């Protein structure tokens, strides 16, 4: 059981990295989200690159999508 707890603890450590999450709301774009978190709308590609598993095009985000904010 101690080994299982250690393995789960390792997984928990991932939750404490610097990653934030953002749920897309109506009217938002990656540029607007980038401005909110980084203060610069031109850094939107940083968010896109971190979410390539769920985004295929930086111009096509959907309301309710949960995006990783690195």
């Amino acid at each position: 059981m101690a080994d299982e707890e250690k393995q789960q603890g390792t997984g928990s450590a991932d939750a404490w990295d610097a990653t934030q999450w953002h749920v897309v709301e109506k009217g938002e774009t990656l540029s607007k989200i980038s401005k909110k978190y980084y203060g610069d709308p031109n850094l939107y590609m940083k968010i896109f690159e971190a979410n390539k598993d769920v985004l295929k095009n930086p111009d096509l985000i959907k309301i309710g999508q949960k995006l990783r904010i690195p």
Side-chain angles (χ1 to χ4, degrees), residues 4-67:
E4 287 177 23
E5 289 173 4
K6 287 179 185 175
Q7 289 175 353
Q8 289 174 355
T10 302
S12 296
D14 293 341
W16 293 105
D17 66 16
T19 302
Q20 300 177 69
W21 294 92
H22 178 84
V23 178
V24 178
E25 297 177 6
K26 185 176 182 177
E28 287 186 319
T29 62
L30 286 183
S31 292
K32 287 181 182 178
I33 296 168
S34 175
K35 182 168 175 53
K36 175 180 178 177
Y37 288 94
Y38 307 134
D40 184 347
N42 295 316
L43 295 176
Y44 72 93
M45 284 302 289
K46 187 174 181 178
I47 298 170
F48 176 68
E49 291 293 328
N51 291 281
K52 279 195 164 183
D53 56 331
V54 293
L55 298 176
K56 303 302 176 217
N57 182 328
D59 296 323
L60 299 176
I61 62 174
K62 297 177 184 170
I63 296 169
Q65 276 183 312
K66 186 175 178 183
L67 300 178

